[in-house]
Structures are given as structure tokens and as C-alpha cells.
Amino acid sequence: MAGIDSENKNINSSAPGAGGSQDPTAGAPGMFEFDSIRQLVQAWKNGTFGEIMDDWRWIFTYSRKFKGAIIFYIILGIVSTTLGLAASVASKYMIDIITGYKYDKLPILIGVMLGSAAVSLIINNMLSRFTLKLSISINNEIQADIFDKIVDSEWLSLSKFTNGDILNRFGSDTSTVANNAISWLPSIIIALYNFIATFAVIWHYNKVMAVLAFGMAPVMLLMSRFLIRRQREYGRKVREMSSRVMSFQVETFYNLDTIKSFGITKLYQKKLRGWQDRYKDIQLDYNKFSIKTGVFLSVMGMAVQYTAFGYCLYLLWHHMISYGTMTLFLEQRGKLASAFNNVVSIIPNFLNSSISAHRIRELVELPKERHVDRKDDLPPETGTDGYTVQMHDVDFSYVDGRRVITDSGFIARPGEIVALIGPSGEGKTTMIRLILGLIHPENGQVTISCKAGEQLPMNADYRYLFSYVPQGNTILSGTVAENLRMAKEDASDEEIIEALKTACAWDFIKDMPGTINCRIGERGRGFSEGQSQRIAIARAILRDAPVMLLDEATSALDVATEREVLRNIITQRRDRTCIVTTHRPTVLNMASRIYRVVDTHVTQLTEEESSRMAVDF
């Protein structure tokens, strides 16, 4: 059905995450169906067919939620196809009436034709609107569900995927699944009905003509094996080159400041043109192949078409058919070929959706974070005398056999600043992740406890007790107020200003146009590194949690500002526990205790070692 087919193409091309580069396999209907059937047979033999069915059972968990809409979709599609055939048959009789000069039934046939066309037009437009709304709804539902599961996955398991891979699965693969979760079953039913009904109409009038109309299908199947191999080869080259060009462009713009500072912009301009030339050569080579195969297929198609046309002329010459029947044959021959392609193309769509579903399932089936059994068991954030964070005999490895933390202990109490020091890459940030419950010890335990309370093993639900300032620039584009309200959505302007003052950030924010409503560029553009750090610290202060974690968060501040910020943090909330990873002497002089992380061991320094360490730093 033309209306449905074109609508599905529009949906796929506009789906979120769809790539903009040319797909070398597009525009060649019928090329891949034979290979797709072979893949299904092979999957059945090697035992992976069950995995494909598991992927589709997962897809159908979403389809079941829209079963009423799917049934409505199928009914509209069948009605639209039937009306199209009725209009074609009516046009045959109209031609016969006119050529035979019999006008008695002409008004009825005109009414049938116009009525069928009008109803078909209405249905096709309804389908267009209905399909788009349905596709958006299920895409949003799947994305929201997947997003919820991804953000609740264990940090260590999720970190094995690159951000680009996660985004690609979340965008492109989700769109593929969303489109086919709704349209795949209706497409099968409607395409089969369209093919069978069209073939039956031609068969009813002439069996030989029905066979001729079906004549191009075997040619397409026989050619598929050769064409698929070549198409995939070119497709792989084009996609690989497209990815390389994209990577070059992203890295160039991301590091544009560095490129400019080295004065090598001309070198990168030359590199871009080199990538463009290589991409052009591959595209032109593929285009030459496409022209050759296109000419061959066109010749074969014309041969079938002219054979059918010649047979129609023969029948007409011998008065075995009427002009109207000949018109019907020729019109429906093209529709039958299209219907056949639609039926067989369902198989590659079936496989593609399975692949996308499998890629998504790899994310959503990752191990989940640890949570408390009952929300009533959560400790209060306020009204206590603060919280003690403690590690007991902890062992941890990211990779088996490569220990990062070994048999180590640690404690930080309310009202204390506790420093973590050590060489870069020795495990200080790993300590922070353990404390936050992002990762969990292989042996030992990380706990949090209030005064006279039991020690509770860390999990995801206790993170509301923490404010965290990680390493690096964590400022997002938007206003200063929007950045701070990430930590507390309902914060008033007065609370935001107070947090900025505590972090020594109000000194420069008050002079900005719009003050807290001034705009910040991507990655804090427009502010210095020290200013960005103070805004990030203000965000953590606004959170007003009983435990604060600062991971090299004051590295860009001068000594006087750093001391003032740390003093403000402790003064603002006397029961606050503050844990800092640092190399700065200011922090060491203010710390209640210093722990050193080196050679996978965390050890507390003595007072003498702490004093000497502060001087040495």
C-alpha cells in the first residue's frame, strides 16, 4: 500500500538519532531479501534463532501496550488496499464502457472510483498522522524506560561502554525498535494481503498474465547473492569512511583552542580536504557500481514489462480481453512487483530490529545498583549530629588480578576535613567512588552511620546524604542559577546567592549582567577554571548535604581563596563531614587527618608525618 510504505520511510528517515550520511544499501529494493532468508536459516541451524526470537519477545513487551492501535492500523491498511483494488477494477470497467459505447453503468462506476479515491485518500492521511503519533509515543516510552534502566545500572558495568556507543544505542537503535514494534506485524499482514489480493485479481482475469506479472521476482532473488556481497563491501567502506570523517570533525572542533594555539589551522584545513577526497573516491566508485547494476536490473525489468505488454497486445488483438482489462493488467503488474518486494523486505527489517533490540538489551540488562529494601529504612538528612563515613579492610579491583585498593581502612567524622593524598592514578578517585557506592568492595565494607547509629553499607539510595564536586569542569551551558538548581530544584534566588557567597563565587557573579541569571557557555566557557570550580562548589554547598566530597575541587584556586572556601564549608554546617583529595598544602594544614594512597594501600599519616607532609607540599 503506497500510503503506508511512504509513511514508514518518512518515519525512519526522521527518527531521532538517524544518521545523515548516505546509506549505500538504500534504494535497491529486493537486493537483500534472499540473503536475509539465508541468515534466518543459518540462525536456525547454529542455534542463534532462539536469540532472535528472545529479542522479538522483548520488543513485543512494548507492542502489547499498543495492541488496540495495532489492530486499528491493520484494519485501516486492509481497507485502504481493498479500496485501491476496487478503484482499479472500476477503472477497467469504465474504460470498457467508454470503448464499447455503453453508458448505462457509467455514473455508478464514476461514483465507485471517486468514492474509493476519496476514502483511500482520507484513510492514507489518517494512517500518516496515526502512524507518526504512535511511533513517537512508543519511541518516547521505550527511550524513557531505557533511560531509567541505564541510569540505574552499576557504574562499573556501564563504564565499559563508550558514551558514543550508548548514545547510538539510545538514539538510533531505539528508533529502529520503536518503528518496528508497532509497524512490523501490521506490515506483514497488510503486505501479504496486498500481494495476495493483487495476484488474485490478475489471476481471476488471466492466469498467464498473473505469472508474467510475477516474473521479475525470481530474477531479483537470483541476483541477490552477488549484489549483496558487493553492496555490503561498498556499504562497509562508506560507513567506515563516514565515521572517520565524523571523528576528525568532532575532535577538531573539540580541540580548536589547542589547534589555534599551535598555529596549525592550515594543516587541519588540508587534512579535512584529504578526508573529503577519500570519501568522494569511495562514493564515486560505489556510484559506478550502482549504475551498472541499475542498468542491468532496469533491462531485466523492461524485458518483463515488454513481455507482459506484448502478451496483452496479443490478447487484445485476438479479442480475448478488453482495453480495460489490458489497462488493469499493466497497472496491477507493477503493483504486484512492489507488493512482492514489500513482503520479502519484511525479513531484513525483522533481522535489523532484532540486532537493535539486542544492542539495547545489553544496556538495560546490565546489573542494577544496590538499593535499600524499604524506603522507610533511609536515615534522615537533617536533625542528626552528622554522619561518619568509614571503610573496613577494603579490597577492590577494576580488572581481575589488578588490585587498586588492598586491605585498607578509612574514617571521616562530622566536623572534620579529612584529606586523601597520593600520586596521580594510585586510587584517590577510586576511594571517592567507593564512598559514593558507585563501586563496591570485593572484600570489606564501606559504611555510613549517624551518631550512636548502626553502620549502614553504602548503596545508591544513601547518596542524598552527599554533595560531590568531581575533578574537571562540570559546568553545563545555561545560567548560573540553572547550574546550581541541579542540586536543589526549588532553591530560591536568596539561597543561590548565599551558596555563591560561601563558595567565594559571588564576588565575580554580582558584577555579571543578570547576576545569577547570566549565561554560561558550554563547559563553563566565559569563566576561568578557578571561577568554574567555585560555581561547582557553590552547587554542592546549595545541596546542603551532611557529607561533602571534593575531588581536587580547589586545585585552581589561590591559597587565600581555598582556605576561605574550606573554612566557610565547615562553618556553614558544623556537623558536616568533608573529604578532600588534594595535593595542596592549604588543605593539609586544615585537615583533621591525612590518608595516603600509594601502592594500593590506604594508610593514615601520623601527626609528625602530616606536619612534615604539609611543609614538603
Side-chain angles (χ1 to χ4, degrees), residues 484-491 495 539 542-543:
L484 266 66
R485 285 195 174 106
M486 285 173 56
K488 187 178 180 182
E489 290 184 55
D490 59 350
E495 289 176 306
R539 180 169 57 200
L542 182 65
R543 177 70 185 83

Side-chain angles (χ1 to χ4, degrees), residues 38-49:
R38 183 178 60 80
Q39 289 181 44
L40 283 178
V41 174
Q42 186 64 31
W44 183 276
K45 291 179 179 179
N46 61 26
T48 58
F49 188 78

Side-chain angles (χ1 to χ4, degrees), residues 62 65-66 69 129-145 174 178-179 182:
Y62 293 100
K65 299 177 182 179
F66 296 88
R129 179 74 173 175
F130 177 76
T131 306
L132 180 60
K133 290 176 66 175
L134 201 56
S135 179
I136 292 173
S137 296
I138 194 169
N139 185 78
N140 289 346
E141 177 163 336
I142 294 176
Q143 275 199 336
D145 186 47
T174 299
N179 289 329
I182 289 298

Side-chain angles (χ1 to χ4, degrees), residues 187-241:
S187 294
I188 291 176
I189 296 174
I190 295 170
L192 285 173
Y193 176 80
N194 189 14
F195 175 76
I196 294 170
T198 303
F199 188 83
V201 167
I202 302 175
W203 184 272
H204 172 73
Y205 289 101
N206 190 285
K207 296 178 177 59
V208 176
M209 189 61 207
V211 174
L212 287 175
F214 193 61
M216 191 59 182
V219 177
M220 297 293 291
L221 291 176
L222 291 173
M223 282 293 297
S224 290
R225 183 178 293 273
F226 165 73
L227 293 174
I228 287 167
R229 186 175 65 253
R230 297 297 301 274
Q231 290 272 2
R232 281 183 171 172
E233 180 182 343
Y234 283 111
R236 178 183 57 80
K237 289 180 179 179
V238 171
R239 283 191 287 270
E240 286 179 356
M241 185 56 66

Side-chain angles (χ1 to χ4, degrees), residues 144 158 195 198 270 395 422 503 551 598:
L158 189 61
F195 175 76
T198 303
K270 182 179 178 180
D395 294 330
D551 192 2
V598 64

